[in-house]
Amino acid sequence: QMAIKFSLDWKFEGPAAPYLLAKKNGYFDEEGLDVTIDSGNGSVGAITRVASGAYDVSLADINSLVEFNASNPDRAMKSIFMVYDRPPFSLFMLKKSGITKPEDLVGKTLGAPVFDASRKLYPAFASATGLKLDDVTWESMDPPLREPMLVRGDVDAISGHYFTSILNLQAQGVTKDDLTVFQYKDFGMDFYGNGLLASPDMMENHAEELRGFLRGVVKGWRAAIADPASAIEALKEVDPLIDPALELQRLQMAIDENVVTPDTLENGMGLVKTDRMAKAIDQVALAFGFENKPTVGDVFTDIFMPGAEDRKIK
Amino acid sequence: MSKSFVELNNVRLRYSEGDDLALETTNMKIGKGEFIAVVGPSGCGKSSLLKLVSGLMPPSEGTVIVDNKEVAGPLKIVGMAFQNPTLLPWRTTLDNVLLPMEIVKPHRNRLRKNRAEYEERARKLLASVGLEGHEDKYPWELSGGMQQRASLCRSLIHEPDLLMLDEPFGALDAFTREELWDILQNLWMVRPFTVILVTHDLREAAYLADTIYVMSKRPGKILVERENPLPRPRDQEATFTQPFTDLVHELRSHIRDVRES
Amino acid sequence: MSKSFVELNNVRLRYSEGDDLALETTNMKIGKGEFIAVVGPSGCGKSSLLKLVSGLMPPSEGTVIVDNKEVAGPLKIVGMAFQNPTLLPWRTTLDNVLLPMEIVKPHRNRLRKNRAEYEERARKLLASVGLEGHEDKYPWELSGGMQQRASLCRSLIHEPDLLMLDEPFGALDAFTREELWDILQNLWMVRPFTVILVTHDLREAAYLADTIYVMSKRPGKILVERENPLPRPRDQEATFTQPFTDLVHELRSHIRDVRES
Amino acid sequence: MKKKPNLSKAAPWLSAIGLFVLWELIVRIFNIPPYVLPTPSESIIVGWQFHEAIWMHAVHTLYTTLAGFAIAVVFGVILGALVGSSRAIYDAANPLLVGFNSVPKVALVPVLVMWFGIGTVPAIITAFLISFFPIVVNVATGLATLEPELRDVLRSLGATRTDILVKVGFPRAMPYFFASLKVAITLAFVGSVISETVASNVGVGYLMLSASSKFNMPLVFAGLLVIAVMGIAMYEIFNVIERRSTKWANRGNQTT
Amino acid sequence: MKKKPNLSKAAPWLSAIGLFVLWELIVRIFNIPPYVLPTPSESIIVGWQFHEAIWMHAVHTLYTTLAGFAIAVVFGVILGALVGSSRAIYDAANPLLVGFNSVPKVALVPVLVMWFGIGTVPAIITAFLISFFPIVVNVATGLATLEPELRDVLRSLGATRTDILVKVGFPRAMPYFFASLKVAITLAFVGSVISETVASNVGVGYLMLSASSKFNMPLVFAGLLVIAVMGIAMYEIFNVIERRSTKWANRGNQTT
Ligand SMILES: Nc1ncnc2c1ncn2[C@@H]1O[C@H](COP(=O)(O)OP(=O)(O)OP(=O)(O)O)[C@@H](O)[C@H]1O
Ligand SMILES: Nc1ncnc2c1ncn2[C@@H]1O[C@H](COP(=O)(O)OP(=O)(O)OP(=O)(O)O)[C@@H](O)[C@H]1O
Ligand SMILES: Cc1ncc(C[n+]2csc(CCO)c2C)c(N)n1
Ligand SMILES: [Mg+2]
Ligand SMILES: [Mg+2]
């Protein structure tokens, strides 16, 4: 058995349940792997954890990875498996603010942490919708402050992951009907989202184990899609404090909006399409403002991808 | 002289419950303006007695009455020179001597306005005990005897009605000591405040006091109360007279008896 | 008695640059096993002199030589009773007295094993100065004179070759004081260590010392060096003899001259 | 003097209850929503609901805190002794120490995670890093303000520097040392908890972060209360030790 | 005694440079990547590159820190005086204070933000909340360990409690007070910076968070260095004041 340290992108929440389910159901054991799953702190941390070798595998936003590679060209890394085929990047407004289309954002105040992926990619959203960068002002704040500040009217809009903020807003008594949501994917922004990365050492020396790990991950997702409640049970075992109903909702949203997509239904999980990815890289480069754009091959590799059968969702 | 400006009625003291007595049943009556001296072997409770009278400590039993009021807390009319000089190390000698002026009414209200005048007074007092030129030194830059003299000045500066001196001349050579006897006697003759002087020097007691109390060994109590027959003012000549030497000898034999008891 | 166990050559001291001198050019030669006394007016530099000899302070000019070596730092053969008792407040009286045993070789190596024996010795010493029963009290629970006696014990316990006493009996009554004179004299007769005694009591100097040095006013220097003609051992009777009173009178007149100069 | 010992014993409880009542009233009167500030009653109820999980997290936090604190005490005393007894070391070390301490330790946690992974080790190290400084400062100050008269007692016996340090320096610095322990233990809790919020799956810090991301503010405050209680418990332990070992310094309090 | 004053002046620089060189060497020898631990040279270069932005952020952080610290000093001294001079207040207030201090203040920033909005005010309050405790503890300890002999000097004059506090309590507690200021100022920096990381668009905390989200670790460390330098500068100011006002307590250092 080989020990693998796996860092999530975020805390133990619904979307993390499939990995925990995989472990619980012994899918990793079957591959001869002893996987430790640790909670994460955002994509930035997840990337550096793997880059530094502290973790073998992590889950992180591929767009952040592009940015990481741009600032550390000699230590560039590649994603080996795409999880969120269509990422949950979004902006949220209250209906009563009167904002119905992107142009209405001019002169408004937006709130989010500086490291929020949706905020970082906002320049791409702006250019896709014909806004100028300084049309809006940003207020920086810790993630849990976002939704209350929106509800109280301290900011006009917030950015965040769809399944995070919509549910957090629900907890504040704001229903979907009170909200206007701009999901980036609905504005012609064909990004990819969070995927798995492996440390250079793993990629070089443990290809087989990586492939096994990925098989286990897909099995976990498949089991979670088939029976989300059992995945939440696995989650609850790790973190007894979660609200199972809420996390179930969150997981279901991630499945429906981000994982089970036309592309993945057709090709199975994990792959990226070269032309779509290339376009995304263009937009990311624009958003982050760097010149020498990487190619698709620079940020993604399918050499550890399990066989097509093993990646089928259903 | 109305007897009983200071009055101790059946006073006993123990420092903490279960301890031995530090002071055995003690009765004393000191008149207003009287100058008394207390002598007795080391550890018999002389310093404790001063603390009781000044209200720094409550008696375990009995009552202390000063100026017709029972003493319940520190008095406001006291000047005290402790056995150790206890000067405040962050103040210069001058500022140490001025300390009572910052505390005691009415001076505290006048001090700011009349600072120069008060300083002048402190300097004069310091000069009278031989400390001119050392006013701006810190206490730790003074010798032991110099500290003691500064502490004496501090107890006198505000002209207290009740002066307590705990071996104020212990660290001084014979001549300085005798000079200070005269200075103290002069002050007292001009304005007769009440003085309680603790000392080991029997000649000192005989030279200065109206009444001399001899205390027993630990736990102390008053064994002998001796009026001093010598006329005032006394001077160095007087110390060579027969009544003086007799008195000293008598005290000496009292103390010997006390120690051997 | 080889002269010059302790030797001061043209020693001068000022506490900090620009200050006045605290000690004027001083020369001294003290033989091994000699008992000397230093007298002089308050503030003349007696305590400073002890600090120089013990190596606690370096002289500003000149050299101090002890046991044929120039003094460059604190000596290891010294027992010192400071002018203030300076007992450590977190230690009981007994532990304060045992302190030198924890520091000075060879005792420090033996202390743990022979703890009981050393404690016994400390208790005996404390008893000899009248402190039996107070061994387990903290210093602040002792009277001033009791603290001073404990401090004296601390300076003696390790039987130092060079003993420095800075007014060790200042806070004691005449009888306790004279008793302690005899105790000290006996110790010294049995094992003649070198003693430097600072005192204000001229009788004390005459009773105890082989040689008496009289110092001048601030800045002090040695004006008179007087051999003591009295034979040893001396006892209370001796203090009533003519040579004794003559010596005291002579010293007294020296000091008077000094003060008036 | 020894009046009203019962009042004295009750005082901390009274003040704590007073605070809780005040807090409850403020929240209710101003109708503050729970996601801003929950009431203590809510927090306690929620805390009780999750008491098993909280217990597990609390034990873990206590363990990391004490481990880090223990290292901090040893290191802090040694460094404080060096800094307090030698001018040269003082000059050399002080700016570095101060600079290091002005930096929020939370910024260093990610670096620690790179080396030690998430979990216990970074939490222990953070607790250590955040809490040693007050000990150093106070021990050094205690030593530097040693009365020269006391030092001379030892010097006159030909004591070595170490002797002086051990026999008078440390005892004299004890009140300073204990004052700093009280500050340090609270900081150690802060250190382990913030490290847990950044990088851990366990501990009160993780619990609080996890709760706050779920907008369970009553649980967050339950976590805060648990830390507070543990902090008070540790503090009281030092208080007892302090009273025993520095009676001499507090002797003045008998008469007040 | 006054030997080698130049060495003494140079010591802090030497040790700082020594640390930087060591750090640089370790990073280079072990080939530690910049996103784990950047070299000081990189940090300084990047810091210089962004020096205008850093300057602006640093000034803001300094301002909030000092504002919070000033409040902490006033409040801390008052509370310390109360706690240190009355047994009853000590009993009542201490557990609350300790409990409050064991809690990471970062958890309270969101509550403050809800009340005062994003930016300066929560940062000032956080700096205050995090830094007053050491002052309270040390002032209280300084007062409680006042030698009874010194107090009796004042009491024998019939001094009021306030007189005693002002004339002997505070002067005696000065060394303790300054020791705590040194701890408190560093904590105040920590407080304002963490508050800035939670909710602010300005300040070194914001700068560091923003840099870390862009994988610019050298800039993060440049921010840390800037805080460290500001902390040292403040510390030195107190040091100068301390030396002037507590000469008496440090008199023993002349001879060492
Ligand atoms: N730490 C110090 N700093 C500066 N000056 C000092 C210091 N200690 C003593 N002096 C000065 O040195 C002189 C001699 O002091 P010393 O204590 O030696 O006198 P002394 O002869 O022992 O006097 P006394 O009989 O009063 O104890 C005094 O004038 C004093 O002001
Ligand atoms: N703070 C204290 N705590 C406990 N006991 C004390 C305290 N102060 C003094 N004592 C005890 O009380 C007794 C009397 O002490 P006091 O200081 O009054 O004696 P004294 O007559 O002044 O002696 P001396 O002449 O030596 O100064 C002593 O036996 C001493 O041990
Ligand atoms: C402030 C902030 N930090 C991190 C994330 C990232 N994040 C939140 S939920 C989630 C997916 C969980 O599987 C991810 C990656 C964010 N959106 N906002
Ligand atoms: Mg006394
Ligand atoms: Mg002297």
Side-chain angles (χ1 to χ4, degrees), chain A residues 217-234:
Chain A
V217 168
V218 185
K219 275 191 207 161
W221 271 103
R222 214 184 289 149
I225 291 166
D227 181 6
S230 71
I232 297 301
E233 256 170 51

mmCIF file with all atom_site columns, all heavy atoms in Angstrom, chain A residues 217-234:
data_model
loop_
_atom_site.group_PDB
_atom_site.id
_atom_site.type_symbol
_atom_site.label_atom_id
_atom_site.label_alt_id
_atom_site.label_comp_id
_atom_site.label_asym_id
_atom_site.label_entity_id
_atom_site.label_seq_id
_atom_site.pdbx_PDB_ins_code
_atom_site.Cartn_x
_atom_site.Cartn_y
_atom_site.Cartn_z
_atom_site.occupancy
_atom_site.B_iso_or_equiv
_atom_site.pdbx_formal_charge
_atom_site.auth_seq_id
_atom_site.auth_comp_id
_atom_site.auth_asym_id
_atom_site.auth_atom_id
_atom_site.pdbx_PDB_model_num
ATOM 1   N N   . VAL A 1 217 ? -11.317 8.152  -7.437  1.00 0.00 ? 217 VAL A N   1
ATOM 2   C CA  . VAL A 1 217 ? -12.066 9.411  -7.374  1.00 0.00 ? 217 VAL A CA  1
ATOM 3   C C   . VAL A 1 217 ? -13.338 9.307  -8.208  1.00 0.00 ? 217 VAL A C   1
ATOM 4   O O   . VAL A 1 217 ? -14.433 9.682  -7.769  1.00 0.00 ? 217 VAL A O   1
ATOM 5   C CB  . VAL A 1 217 ? -11.187 10.578 -7.861  1.00 0.00 ? 217 VAL A CB  1
ATOM 6   C CG1 . VAL A 1 217 ? -12.033 11.829 -8.094  1.00 0.00 ? 217 VAL A CG1 1
ATOM 7   C CG2 . VAL A 1 217 ? -10.094 10.871 -6.843  1.00 0.00 ? 217 VAL A CG2 1
ATOM 8   N N   . VAL A 1 218 ? -13.199 8.786  -9.439  1.00 0.00 ? 218 VAL A N   1
ATOM 9   C CA  . VAL A 1 218 ? -14.384 8.701  -10.292 1.00 0.00 ? 218 VAL A CA  1
ATOM 10  C C   . VAL A 1 218 ? -15.414 7.776  -9.654  1.00 0.00 ? 218 VAL A C   1
ATOM 11  O O   . VAL A 1 218 ? -16.607 8.082  -9.629  1.00 0.00 ? 218 VAL A O   1
ATOM 12  C CB  . VAL A 1 218 ? -14.026 8.205  -11.706 1.00 0.00 ? 218 VAL A CB  1
ATOM 13  C CG1 . VAL A 1 218 ? -15.264 8.239  -12.598 1.00 0.00 ? 218 VAL A CG1 1
ATOM 14  C CG2 . VAL A 1 218 ? -12.922 9.050  -12.303 1.00 0.00 ? 218 VAL A CG2 1
ATOM 15  N N   . LYS A 1 219 ? -14.927 6.653  -9.100  1.00 0.00 ? 219 LYS A N   1
ATOM 16  C CA  . LYS A 1 219 ? -15.859 5.744  -8.439  1.00 0.00 ? 219 LYS A CA  1
ATOM 17  C C   . LYS A 1 219 ? -16.599 6.459  -7.322  1.00 0.00 ? 219 LYS A C   1
ATOM 18  O O   . LYS A 1 219 ? -17.807 6.276  -7.137  1.00 0.00 ? 219 LYS A O   1
ATOM 19  C CB  . LYS A 1 219 ? -15.104 4.547  -7.848  1.00 0.00 ? 219 LYS A CB  1
ATOM 20  C CG  . LYS A 1 219 ? -14.870 3.421  -8.833  1.00 0.00 ? 219 LYS A CG  1
ATOM 21  C CD  . LYS A 1 219 ? -14.359 2.191  -8.061  1.00 0.00 ? 219 LYS A CD  1
ATOM 22  C CE  . LYS A 1 219 ? -13.509 1.305  -8.969  1.00 0.00 ? 219 LYS A CE  1
ATOM 23  N NZ  . LYS A 1 219 ? -12.648 0.397  -8.178  1.00 0.00 ? 219 LYS A NZ  1
ATOM 24  N N   . GLY A 1 220 ? -15.861 7.267  -6.600  1.00 0.00 ? 220 GLY A N   1
ATOM 25  C CA  . GLY A 1 220 ? -16.474 8.023  -5.511  1.00 0.00 ? 220 GLY A CA  1
ATOM 26  C C   . GLY A 1 220 ? -17.555 8.953  -6.043  1.00 0.00 ? 220 GLY A C   1
ATOM 27  O O   . GLY A 1 220 ? -18.660 9.015  -5.510  1.00 0.00 ? 220 GLY A O   1
ATOM 28  N N   . TRP A 1 221 ? -17.238 9.674  -7.083  1.00 0.00 ? 221 TRP A N   1
ATOM 29  C CA  . TRP A 1 221 ? -18.231 10.595 -7.662  1.00 0.00 ? 221 TRP A CA  1
ATOM 30  C C   . TRP A 1 221 ? -19.438 9.814  -8.168  1.00 0.00 ? 221 TRP A C   1
ATOM 31  O O   . TRP A 1 221 ? -20.586 10.213 -7.977  1.00 0.00 ? 221 TRP A O   1
ATOM 32  C CB  . TRP A 1 221 ? -17.617 11.419 -8.800  1.00 0.00 ? 221 TRP A CB  1
ATOM 33  C CG  . TRP A 1 221 ? -16.998 12.692 -8.298  1.00 0.00 ? 221 TRP A CG  1
ATOM 34  C CD1 . TRP A 1 221 ? -15.678 12.930 -8.117  1.00 0.00 ? 221 TRP A CD1 1
ATOM 35  C CD2 . TRP A 1 221 ? -17.694 13.882 -7.904  1.00 0.00 ? 221 TRP A CD2 1
ATOM 36  N NE1 . TRP A 1 221 ? -15.482 14.192 -7.627  1.00 0.00 ? 221 TRP A NE1 1
ATOM 37  C CE2 . TRP A 1 221 ? -16.704 14.801 -7.483  1.00 0.00 ? 221 TRP A CE2 1
ATOM 38  C CE3 . TRP A 1 221 ? -19.048 14.247 -7.834  1.00 0.00 ? 221 TRP A CE3 1
ATOM 39  C CZ2 . TRP A 1 221 ? -17.028 16.068 -7.022  1.00 0.00 ? 221 TRP A CZ2 1
ATOM 40  C CZ3 . TRP A 1 221 ? -19.363 15.519 -7.394  1.00 0.00 ? 221 TRP A CZ3 1
ATOM 41  C CH2 . TRP A 1 221 ? -18.353 16.415 -6.977  1.00 0.00 ? 221 TRP A CH2 1
ATOM 42  N N   . ARG A 1 222 ? -19.135 8.694  -8.823  1.00 0.00 ? 222 ARG A N   1
ATOM 43  C CA  . ARG A 1 222 ? -20.243 7.922  -9.380  1.00 0.00 ? 222 ARG A CA  1
ATOM 44  C C   . ARG A 1 222 ? -21.186 7.467  -8.261  1.00 0.00 ? 222 ARG A C   1
ATOM 45  O O   . ARG A 1 222 ? -22.402 7.617  -8.357  1.00 0.00 ? 222 ARG A O   1
ATOM 46  C CB  . ARG A 1 222 ? -19.685 6.705  -10.125 1.00 0.00 ? 222 ARG A CB  1
ATOM 47  C CG  . ARG A 1 222 ? -20.510 6.332  -11.344 1.00 0.00 ? 222 ARG A CG  1
ATOM 48  C CD  . ARG A 1 222 ? -19.960 5.078  -11.982 1.00 0.00 ? 222 ARG A CD  1
ATOM 49  N NE  . ARG A 1 222 ? -18.678 5.307  -12.634 1.00 0.00 ? 222 ARG A NE  1
ATOM 50  C CZ  . ARG A 1 222 ? -17.704 4.386  -12.740 1.00 0.00 ? 222 ARG A CZ  1
ATOM 51  N NH1 . ARG A 1 222 ? -17.841 3.189  -12.192 1.00 0.00 ? 222 ARG A NH1 1
ATOM 52  N NH2 . ARG A 1 222 ? -16.594 4.652  -13.369 1.00 0.00 ? 222 ARG A NH2 1
ATOM 53  N N   . ALA A 1 223 ? -20.572 6.999  -7.189  1.00 0.00 ? 223 ALA A N   1
ATOM 54  C CA  . ALA A 1 223 ? -21.385 6.547  -6.058  1.00 0.00 ? 223 ALA A CA  1
ATOM 55  C C   . ALA A 1 223 ? -22.147 7.715  -5.448  1.00 0.00 ? 223 ALA A C   1
ATOM 56  O O   . ALA A 1 223 ? -23.310 7.585  -5.050  1.00 0.00 ? 223 ALA A O   1
ATOM 57  C CB  . ALA A 1 223 ? -20.498 5.890  -5.009  1.00 0.00 ? 223 ALA A CB  1
ATOM 58  N N   . ALA A 1 224 ? -21.486 8.897  -5.400  1.00 0.00 ? 224 ALA A N   1
ATOM 59  C CA  . ALA A 1 224 ? -22.143 10.058 -4.814  1.00 0.00 ? 224 ALA A CA  1
ATOM 60  C C   . ALA A 1 224 ? -23.293 10.549 -5.683  1.00 0.00 ? 224 ALA A C   1
ATOM 61  O O   . ALA A 1 224 ? -24.331 10.982 -5.178  1.00 0.00 ? 224 ALA A O   1
ATOM 62  C CB  . ALA A 1 224 ? -21.124 11.177 -4.616  1.00 0.00 ? 224 ALA A CB  1
ATOM 63  N N   . ILE A 1 225 ? -23.093 10.464 -7.000  1.00 0.00 ? 225 ILE A N   1
ATOM 64  C CA  . ILE A 1 225 ? -24.156 10.912 -7.889  1.00 0.00 ? 225 ILE A CA  1
ATOM 65  C C   . ILE A 1 225 ? -25.352 9.971  -7.768  1.00 0.00 ? 225 ILE A C   1
ATOM 66  O O   . ILE A 1 225 ? -26.501 10.404 -7.731  1.00 0.00 ? 225 ILE A O   1
ATOM 67  C CB  . ILE A 1 225 ? -23.640 10.980 -9.335  1.00 0.00 ? 225 ILE A CB  1
ATOM 68  C CG1 . ILE A 1 225 ? -22.618 12.126 -9.469  1.00 0.00 ? 225 ILE A CG1 1
ATOM 69  C CG2 . ILE A 1 225 ? -24.790 11.177 -10.325 1.00 0.00 ? 225 ILE A CG2 1
ATOM 70  C CD1 . ILE A 1 225 ? -21.797 12.080 -10.747 1.00 0.00 ? 225 ILE A CD1 1
ATOM 71  N N   . ALA A 1 226 ? -25.037 8.694  -7.639  1.00 0.00 ? 226 ALA A N   1
ATOM 72  C CA  . ALA A 1 226 ? -26.113 7.704  -7.528  1.00 0.00 ? 226 ALA A CA  1
ATOM 73  C C   . ALA A 1 226 ? -26.826 7.855  -6.187  1.00 0.00 ? 226 ALA A C   1
ATOM 74  O O   . ALA A 1 226 ? -28.051 7.761  -6.119  1.00 0.00 ? 226 ALA A O   1
ATOM 75  C CB  . ALA A 1 226 ? -25.540 6.301  -7.677  1.00 0.00 ? 226 ALA A CB  1
ATOM 76  N N   . ASP A 1 227 ? -26.054 8.119  -5.129  1.00 0.00 ? 227 ASP A N   1
ATOM 77  C CA  . ASP A 1 227 ? -26.675 8.189  -3.809  1.00 0.00 ? 227 ASP A CA  1
ATOM 78  C C   . ASP A 1 227 ? -26.014 9.283  -2.989  1.00 0.00 ? 227 ASP A C   1
ATOM 79  O O   . ASP A 1 227 ? -25.158 9.029  -2.134  1.00 0.00 ? 227 ASP A O   1
ATOM 80  C CB  . ASP A 1 227 ? -26.522 6.828  -3.105  1.00 0.00 ? 227 ASP A CB  1
ATOM 81  C CG  . ASP A 1 227 ? -27.172 6.832  -1.724  1.00 0.00 ? 227 ASP A CG  1
ATOM 82  O OD1 . ASP A 1 227 ? -27.835 7.846  -1.370  1.00 0.00 ? 227 ASP A OD1 1
ATOM 83  O OD2 . ASP A 1 227 ? -27.007 5.835  -0.998  1.00 0.00 ? 227 ASP A OD2 1
ATOM 84  N N   . PRO A 1 228 ? -26.392 10.541 -3.266  1.00 0.00 ? 228 PRO A N   1
ATOM 85  C CA  . PRO A 1 228 ? -25.737 11.655 -2.587  1.00 0.00 ? 228 PRO A CA  1
ATOM 86  C C   . PRO A 1 228 ? -25.832 11.539 -1.065  1.00 0.00 ? 228 PRO A C   1
ATOM 87  O O   . PRO A 1 228 ? -24.882 11.890 -0.355  1.00 0.00 ? 228 PRO A O   1
ATOM 88  C CB  . PRO A 1 228 ? -26.508 12.878 -3.077  1.00 0.00 ? 228 PRO A CB  1
ATOM 89  C CG  . PRO A 1 228 ? -27.201 12.438 -4.335  1.00 0.00 ? 228 PRO A CG  1
ATOM 90  C CD  . PRO A 1 228 ? -27.459 10.968 -4.185  1.00 0.00 ? 228 PRO A CD  1
ATOM 91  N N   . ALA A 1 229 ? -26.920 11.001 -0.572  1.00 0.00 ? 229 ALA A N   1
ATOM 92  C CA  . ALA A 1 229 ? -27.086 10.941 0.886   1.00 0.00 ? 229 ALA A CA  1
ATOM 93  C C   . ALA A 1 229 ? -25.999 10.097 1.536   1.00 0.00 ? 229 ALA A C   1
ATOM 94  O O   . ALA A 1 229 ? -25.496 10.421 2.621   1.00 0.00 ? 229 ALA A O   1
ATOM 95  C CB  . ALA A 1 229 ? -28.462 10.392 1.222   1.00 0.00 ? 229 ALA A CB  1
ATOM 96  N N   . SER A 1 230 ? -25.595 9.008  0.848   1.00 0.00 ? 230 SER A N   1
ATOM 97  C CA  . SER A 1 230 ? -24.545 8.172  1.449   1.00 0.00 ? 230 SER A CA  1
ATOM 98  C C   . SER A 1 230 ? -23.223 8.932  1.482   1.00 0.00 ? 230 SER A C   1
ATOM 99  O O   . SER A 1 230 ? -22.424 8.771  2.405   1.00 0.00 ? 230 SER A O   1
ATOM 100 C CB  . SER A 1 230 ? -24.401 6.867  0.646   1.00 0.00 ? 230 SER A CB  1
ATOM 101 O OG  . SER A 1 230 ? -23.802 7.147  -0.599  1.00 0.00 ? 230 SER A OG  1
ATOM 102 N N   . ALA A 1 231 ? -23.007 9.784  0.465   1.00 0.00 ? 231 ALA A N   1
ATOM 103 C CA  . ALA A 1 231 ? -21.787 10.594 0.462   1.00 0.00 ? 231 ALA A CA  1
ATOM 104 C C   . ALA A 1 231 ? -21.787 11.554 1.648   1.00 0.00 ? 231 ALA A C   1
ATOM 105 O O   . ALA A 1 231 ? -20.766 11.744 2.324   1.00 0.00 ? 231 ALA A O   1
ATOM 106 C CB  . ALA A 1 231 ? -21.669 11.369 -0.848  1.00 0.00 ? 231 ALA A CB  1
ATOM 107 N N   . ILE A 1 232 ? -22.958 12.134 1.889   1.00 0.00 ? 232 ILE A N   1
ATOM 108 C CA  . ILE A 1 232 ? -23.043 13.077 3.012   1.00 0.00 ? 232 ILE A CA  1
ATOM 109 C C   . ILE A 1 232 ? -22.806 12.347 4.332   1.00 0.00 ? 232 ILE A C   1
ATOM 110 O O   . ILE A 1 232 ? -22.219 12.905 5.266   1.00 0.00 ? 232 ILE A O   1
ATOM 111 C CB  . ILE A 1 232 ? -24.414 13.791 2.998   1.00 0.00 ? 232 ILE A CB  1
ATOM 112 C CG1 . ILE A 1 232 ? -24.548 14.624 1.732   1.00 0.00 ? 232 ILE A CG1 1
ATOM 113 C CG2 . ILE A 1 232 ? -24.587 14.651 4.239   1.00 0.00 ? 232 ILE A CG2 1
ATOM 114 C CD1 . ILE A 1 232 ? -23.488 15.693 1.544   1.00 0.00 ? 232 ILE A CD1 1
ATOM 115 N N   . GLU A 1 233 ? -23.251 11.075 4.380   1.00 0.00 ? 233 GLU A N   1
ATOM 116 C CA  . GLU A 1 233 ? -22.963 10.299 5.591   1.00 0.00 ? 233 GLU A CA  1
ATOM 117 C C   . GLU A 1 233 ? -21.462 10.172 5.826   1.00 0.00 ? 233 GLU A C   1
ATOM 118 O O   . GLU A 1 233 ? -20.976 10.320 6.952   1.00 0.00 ? 233 GLU A O   1
ATOM 119 C CB  . GLU A 1 233 ? -23.559 8.893  5.463   1.00 0.00 ? 233 GLU A CB  1
ATOM 120 C CG  . GLU A 1 233 ? -24.828 8.704  6.271   1.00 0.00 ? 233 GLU A CG  1
ATOM 121 C CD  . GLU A 1 233 ? -25.491 7.395  5.896   1.00 0.00 ? 233 GLU A CD  1
ATOM 122 O OE1 . GLU A 1 233 ? -24.798 6.355  5.899   1.00 0.00 ? 233 GLU A OE1 1
ATOM 123 O OE2 . GLU A 1 233 ? -26.691 7.437  5.555   1.00 0.00 ? 233 GLU A OE2 1
ATOM 124 N N   . ALA A 1 234 ? -20.751 9.874  4.739   1.00 0.00 ? 234 ALA A N   1
ATOM 125 C CA  . ALA A 1 234 ? -19.288 9.769  4.854   1.00 0.00 ? 234 ALA A CA  1
ATOM 126 C C   . ALA A 1 234 ? -18.700 11.090 5.333   1.00 0.00 ? 234 ALA A C   1
ATOM 127 O O   . ALA A 1 234 ? -17.767 11.128 6.139   1.00 0.00 ? 234 ALA A O   1
ATOM 128 C CB  . ALA A 1 234 ? -18.678 9.375  3.509   1.00 0.00 ? 234 ALA A CB  1
#
